[in-house]
Each structure stands twice: as C-alpha cells, then as structure tokens.
Amino acid sequence: MTRTVTAALGRLGRVRRDALRAECAPLAELDDVELGARLLADTPTHEHRDPALLRHWAETATGFGTRLRSRCAAAEPRVVERPGGIDRLLLARYVSRPTPTVELFTDTLALGEELVDLLGWRDWYAEGALRATALAHEDAHRLLHGDAALRRALRERLGHTALRVGRFRITGHVAGSEELAAHGYAAARTGLGRSPLLLTAALASAIRALVRN
Amino acid sequence: MGIVILLLMLAGVGLMLTRKLPTAFTLVLLAVAIAAVVGAPFTGENSIIDTVLQEGAVAQAATMLAVLIGSWMGKLMAETGIASTLVRKIVEFGGDRPTVVALGVLLVSALVGTVTGSAPAAMMAGIIGIPAMIAVGVPKTTAAGTILMGIAAGMPFELPIWQFFSTTLNLPVDTVRGFMLKLFPFAVVFAVLFVLIETRRKGVEHTWSLAAPGERSAADRRRNRARQLGDAPWYALLAPLVPLVLALGFELAIIPSMLAGVLYALVTTTRPREMSKRLLRTLYGAFDIAAPPIALFVAIGILLAAVTLPGAVEALNPLVTAISPGHPVIFVVVFALLTPLCLYRGPLNVFGLGAGIAGVLISAGIYPAVAVLGLTASYNQVFGVADPTSTQTVWAAQYSGISPQQVMVRTLPYVWCVALGGLIVTAATQL
C-alpha cells in the first residue's frame, strides 16, 4: 500500500460503490472450492499444478478443517485488537512467541462488516461474525501448529506423493493446505453461509477501490 | 602525502555513503586523484593513463568472466526450472515443520550461491523460498535472513569470489581455497544456528492476509513462467554441484569448472535442437545480471592499480604501519570491532574502498597477503548478508515485506561471529 487508507466505504461515491458491487458480484458466483483452488494456485510451489488437482486439494483441506470444528486449541491465546490492518492488508495474525497472541485488526474487521452490508451478503455473514471467524481461523492455526499428528493426518488426506521408490512412498506437504483448513474450520465454527475466502477477495477489491478513491 | 590520500579516501566514502556518486564511479575518481597527488606521470611506466586506467581496468578480467559465467548458469537454472524445483522439493519434503523448511531453503541458497553469486542466488532461492517459508509460518525477517545466511554459508565456496581474491591479493587459487575451507565451518555453523535460534525465538506467524490474487508483481510473473516449465528432472538438480565438485574435489581451474556446470545444466534439461538457442539466450540475459558487478570489478582494478603505485605505497607505508596492530590478539580485537565499517559501503567493504586498503596493506608489507585474505574474506561474510545497501539484502528484505535494516539487525550478530572466527583463524595461522 502506498498510502494510509482510513476511509470507510461511505466515502466512496455512488459510481465507485456500484463499480465495487459489480467487481464483487462475479466473485460471489464462484463456488467455495474454486476460491480455495485459486488460493492454492497463488501459493508458491503450485505453479505448474493441474487446476483439477488444486480443486481436489482445496475441497479436501477445507473439509478437513470443517471436520475439526468440535476441537479447540489447548490454551486461550492473548487477543489484541489494533488498527493498521488495511495498510498491511491483514485481517488477523497469530504469533506463537513470546506469548501466543492473536491480533485482530479492527479497521479491517469494520470494513468487512460494512462491505457485507453494501454487497447484501448478510445471509452468508451474520452481524459480528467476522470477528468470531478471525478468532476461529487463528485458533485453527494454533491447533495445527501444536499437533503434529493432526498435520500428518491432513497430509495423508491430501495424498500428495513427494517421492515414490517402488512400494516406498513419502507424502509431500501441500503448501497452503493449512490455510484452507483454517478457513474451513472457521466457517464451520461460526456457521458462515460461504467461505471466508469470498469475503477476503471482496475486501481486497474494496481496499483497491478506497485507494483509487 | 599519506594524510592527503587518506582524506581523499574519506571523501570517497562520503560520496558513496551519501549516494552522490555510484560506488564504481567514486572508485575510479578516487584512483585518478590518488595517482595525481602521488605525482604519477600522465603516460608511461607507473602512470595515470597506462598503469592505473589501462592495466587497472583489465586487472580483474578473470573475475569478471567468472561472474559472467556464474550469471549465465544462474539464468539457465532459472529458465530450466532447476532452482525452483530445488526449493519446491524442499518445501514438499520439509512440509509443515517451519524449521525443516527453513533449513532446506538455507541449503538451496548456499548451493545456488556457490555458482551464481549472491544477488542472483537470493532471487532464485527466494522467489519461491521466501513465500513458501512464510506460508508454513516462518516470520518474514527470519525468512529473508535465512536466504541471506544460506548464501553466506556457501560464500566460502563461491567460485567468482575465489577468483576475485586470487587476482586482487595476487595469491594462487589454491591458497584462497585453503583459507575458505577454514572459514566454511564458521559460516555453516552460524547459518544453521541462525535458523534454529531465530525460528525458536520468534516462533511461528500466520496471517489472514487480503493480498489479492489479481495484484500480480514481477515475481508472480516469473512464477507464472515457472508454471509453464514444470519440474526439472532429479539429475538436473545436481547442476550447482558440478562446478563445486570440479573446482574443489578435482582442483580444476575456476572458469572451466563453471562452464562444465553450464553444460550440465543445459544437457540435462534441454532438447538437443533447442540447446544452441537457449544457450545463447541465457548468455545474453546473463550480461544484464552481471553488468553491475563487472562495472565494480573494473573500478576495483583501477583503484588497486592506483594504491599500489610506488608513490602511493611510499606515502601510505608509515601511516598504515603505525595504525595496524601487529600482535595477533590485538589484530583480532581491533579488526573485529571495526567490522561494522564494511556496512553501508563503508571503508572496509572489500567490494569498494576495502579492496584499496587491502592493496595498501599488502604492498606496504604490513601483513602477509594470506592474512589480508583472511581479513577481507571475513568481512565479506558480513557485507554479503547484513549490509542494507547490498543488492541481495535489499531484494530479500523487500520481497519479504520488511526493511533491509530489520534484516541487518537480525543477522548482524551471527555474521559478526563468523567474521570473528575468520579473524581468529587468520591471526592463529598467519601472524
């Protein structure tokens, strides 16, 4: 970002708001698996992968996260709320050291809520659900970070072979799969109607619109 | 007269630090000024035109060629997918363990850096390696530092560097290789320690980012190019080892060793009918990459020719003798404390004024050439990683989304220790 974005969507003129709606409408037409596949396609190491394989991995990883919804990470992290997320293009962040902490970026969350209203997506994202989703998303990362068996299970589920010599086979890590599992987990925990990835993509469009404004 | 030369050098440092003049131009200007104040004739023996400018400009020809071939190999490894495949495999095998992934990327950086030089290696290993490390939870500063520390770990075996020290200090390549073998353990140990300590100290970091797929950077476009290429075959991944094995194991000359690496990378990845086209295309592309270091090596050769003029040596000898520590312990303490002077294009940067100072130390007979090799090679380990003005540091930091100063602060303690190790070895074996 080249300059601080403090404006809310209300500061956009009618034409720009309509343009933003028009930009986000095709995103809503994509299914959640396709959004997941796009995230994987933009993750390094997947540059040459078959789109069908990426869709399969996206579905599997998201489903893996969804099935984890009844589990919680062992200890509650410290939660810090601060502004500055829009400038850094961040909605939430989890750091494990020195103290496990989840940072929630209040300006991005507020923009997200405003955007849901603007786009008429309240049926999918309930009022205040975005904050809970962000916490659940980072909770999923803590779960996966602290449990090697869980990470192994995700790897096995994805079934990507990194090396095969005769009957001997090593499953490879699929970069980006944990992020998709975290989104699947968060969506299931908070009962979202669509993947958080849809709102993520729409938020990126909104920030671009604000910058242009 | 010695004081005047030192003042000129100080003015040169000022010009470089304030970025009033590019380093290469400053060095040439400084060389001509030094030659003029020591009374060198315009033409003839030990003159400004024939000795400083003519002989000096081509003095580093072998280094320039090694740099060019290294860039050629780098270009080839990028175009054929060798570098990206190496990193991709590391991520797939290292998987969900951030420390393992970082150690793997460290290894790839070291390996690629030995043949291509620092800046191309940072880009080749970093384009996929940095986002891949961040994706598995490695914090950004640690990710950038890992690439640079990896390059530093491979730096003692960086073949163009061997050629540079051999030419600059007038030492046989065997002698350079001998010292680098002693420096290597320090470089490796502290690079591995960097990854282990920093990943433990800083833990993992996961972000819910809004970075939009539509906002594609130049790096993304390069990744898209890799998308069309796919994986390189496993035996092609050995390409960076070929020059190293030949030069280190079989003691073959540097340029043929590197050419063998180019040929190996070509034949293991390219169909015969496409070979000549690809070879020529990557060679021409390599000139773009190699242009900045080659310009610098021309200037360094010119500066070295100036400071080794008889008049300059005579003028600088008493001064340098008076301030250079002779006792091994004081040598280590003083030069270890002066280490930060190689940062920000400072006076001890061996790819700048430091080369001139090295030339003075040798020509004035203050230290044996091997000791000066130890001194400059130790400083090079610091400059190559932590200097916020060096290309690879700036690139790795910006690509990770942090500032070069953050990388400097994080990596300096480790590379300072490497330099200290090199200085101790130098003092123990050469003084």
Side-chain angles (χ1 to χ4, degrees):
Chain A
M1 301 294 291
T2 51
R3 63 189 173 96
T4 303
V5 178
T6 52
L9 293 174
R11 287 183 60 183
L12 291 178
R14 190 177 158 189
V15 174
R16 285 198 188 275
R17 279 208 305 274
D18 287 345
L20 179 58
R21 280 195 198 96
E23 194 178 329
C24 292
L27 291 173
E29 284 168 19
L30 297 170
D31 66 28
D32 288 352
V33 175
E34 178 57 27
L35 288 165
R38 287 186 177 198
L39 182 141
L40 288 180
D42 277 346
T43 304
T45 73
H46 299 312
E47 294 84 358
H48 65 299
R49 306 261 190 238
D50 179 2
L53 179 64
L54 294 181
R55 278 185 66 86
H56 167 66
W57 281 345
E59 194 168 12
T60 308
T62 308
F64 183 87
T66 305
R67 276 186 287 279
L68 286 180
R69 66 177 172 271
S70 56
R71 296 179 62 164
C72 285
E76 282 298 309
R78 194 165 69 102
V79 177
V80 177
E81 298 195 7
R82 58 168 54 118
I86 292 179
D87 284 334
R88 295 158 69 186
L89 291 175
L90 292 180
L91 196 140
R93 185 167 78 134
Y94 165 67
V95 289
S96 66
R97 295 287 172 96
T99 310
T101 304
V102 173
E103 292 173 273
L104 296 176
F105 294 97
T106 48
D107 53 345
T108 320
L109 289 171
L111 182 68
E113 293 291 345
E114 213 180 328
L115 183 63
V116 170
D117 284 331
L118 179 82
L119 300 175
W121 289 357
R122 269 295 164 221
D123 288 349
W124 294 333
Y125 304 99
E127 183 100 39
L130 192 52
R131 186 182 185 282
T133 307
L135 282 172
H137 178 96
E138 302 308 334
D139 208 30
H141 278 304
R142 287 196 307 131
L143 256 175
L144 288 161
H145 175 61
D147 192 338
L150 209 55
R151 296 197 301 269
R152 195 164 51 245
L154 172 59
R155 211 168 53 229
E156 291 294 335
R157 192 74 58 86
L158 291 164
H160 171 47
T161 302
L163 179 71
R164 186 192 295 275
V165 182
R167 290 171 57 195
F168 178 72
R169 170 178 172 265
I170 294 178
T171 51
H173 172 69
V174 175
S177 59
E178 289 185 12
E179 187 64 12
L180 287 177
H183 279 307
Y185 174 90
R189 280 289 293 270
T190 53
L192 299 184
R194 290 290 309 266
S195 166
L197 284 170
L198 172 60
L199 191 52
T200 306
L203 268 167
S205 298
I207 290 172
R208 277 198 301 273
L210 286 169
V211 170
R212 281 196 296 265
N213 198 43
Chain B
M1 191 56 70
I3 297 283
V4 177
I5 295 176
L6 288 184
L7 286 174
L8 281 172
M9 286 180 164
L10 213 60
V13 170
L15 284 173
M16 287 187 279
L17 279 178
T18 54
R19 297 178 180 242
K20 296 257 187 250
L21 213 56
T23 304
F25 295 166
T26 308
L27 298 184
V28 173
L29 208 63
L30 186 59
V32 173
I34 289 172
V37 297
V38 300
F42 200 61
T43 55
E45 201 182 345
N46 291 325
S47 66
I48 296 174
I49 292 289
D50 295 324
T51 310
V52 175
L53 292 176
Q54 173 62 32
E55 289 174 23
V58 294
Q60 295 284 347
T63 309
M64 294 179 220
L65 202 55
V67 166
L68 178 65
I69 299 171
S71 301
W72 188 10
M73 178 134 182
K75 194 84 186 155
L76 202 53
M77 288 204 301
E79 189 175 307
T80 56
I82 291 175
S84 56
T85 306
L86 271 170
V87 182
R88 192 178 300 130
K89 289 293 171 196
I90 291 293
V91 174
E92 287 182 359
F93 282 113
D96 39 33
R97 287 154 296 178
T99 308
V100 177
V101 172
L103 284 172
V105 175
L106 184 92
L107 178 72
V108 174
S109 304
L111 204 57
V112 175
T114 56
V115 281
T116 66
S118 301
M123 289 176 206
M124 268 187 282
I127 280 172
I128 295 179
I130 288 174
M133 280 188 281
I134 292 172
V136 297
V138 177
K140 290 174 178 177
T141 315
T142 311
T146 298
I147 293 286
L148 296 166
M149 292 299 294
I151 291 167
M155 211 178 273
F157 293 144
E158 205 175 296
L159 302 185
I161 296 267
W162 287 8
Q163 189 61 63
F164 170 67
F165 282 126
S166 168
T167 313
T168 305
L169 308 176
N170 201 18
L171 285 167
V173 171
D174 284 354
T175 310
V176 177
R177 180 171 37 221
F179 179 79
M180 293 303 191
L181 281 169
K182 291 175 191 149
L183 187 62
F184 179 61
F186 293 100
V188 166
V189 166
F190 283 99
V192 171
L193 279 178
F194 172 85
V195 172
L196 297 180
I197 292 172
E198 291 302 322
T199 49
R200 180 152 185 80
R201 199 167 72 88
K202 292 289 172 184
V204 296
E205 179 181 319
H206 288 285
T207 57
W208 180 342
S209 170
L210 308 178
E215 291 173 335
R216 293 194 181 280
S217 63
D220 291 325
R221 284 193 289 276
R222 280 195 289 274
R223 267 189 245 144
N224 279 346
R225 168 91 185 126
R227 174 178 303 186
Q228 295 156 16
L229 296 167
D231 278 355
W234 68 267
Y235 44 85
L237 306 186
L238 303 173
L241 283 174
V242 171
L244 205 60
V245 167
L246 293 176
L248 197 65
F250 294 89
E251 302 194 356
L252 211 67
I254 289 171
I255 289 172
S257 300
M258 296 182 76
L259 282 173
V262 168
L263 282 178
Y264 183 85
L266 183 80
V267 298
T268 52
T269 55
T270 312
R271 289 195 186 98
R273 62 195 158 100
E274 292 168 12
M275 281 182 181
S276 55
K277 261 189 188 170
R278 173 167 277 174
L279 213 50
L280 205 60
R281 186 172 60 240
T282 48
L283 174 61
Y284 289 170
F287 276 93
D288 281 343
I289 302 167
I294 286 178
L296 198 59
F297 286 125
V298 171
I300 287 172
I302 289 173
L303 178 66
L304 277 170
V307 296
T308 50
L309 286 171
V313 173
E314 202 178 306
L316 286 167
N317 200 339
L319 267 176
V320 180
T321 308
I323 57 170
S324 301
H327 191 277
V329 175
I330 301 174
F331 173 91
V332 172
V333 172
V334 168
F335 285 115
L337 288 175
L338 292 178
T339 299
L341 289 180
C342 68
L343 302 175
Y344 287 101
R345 306 273 158 192
L348 292 181
N349 175 359
V350 70
F351 296 110
L353 202 53
I357 291 173
V360 171
L361 288 173
I362 295 172
S363 56
I366 312 293
Y367 299 122
V370 191
V372 178
L373 165 70
L375 183 66
T376 47
S378 302
Y379 283 159
N380 187 41
Q381 292 294 132
V382 179
F383 162 78
V385 174
D387 185 353
T389 66
S390 70
T391 311
Q392 63 271 21
T393 309
V394 172
W395 184 88
Q398 287 179 347
Y399 192 66
S400 306
I402 50 168
S403 73
Q405 284 75 17
Q406 285 173 283
V407 175
M408 177 182 72
V409 170
R410 188 68 66 81
T411 55
L412 190 57
Y414 297 90
V415 285
W416 207 329
C417 290
V418 178
L420 180 65
L423 290 170
I424 291 171
V425 169
T426 305
T429 58
Q430 307 301 334
L431 294 181

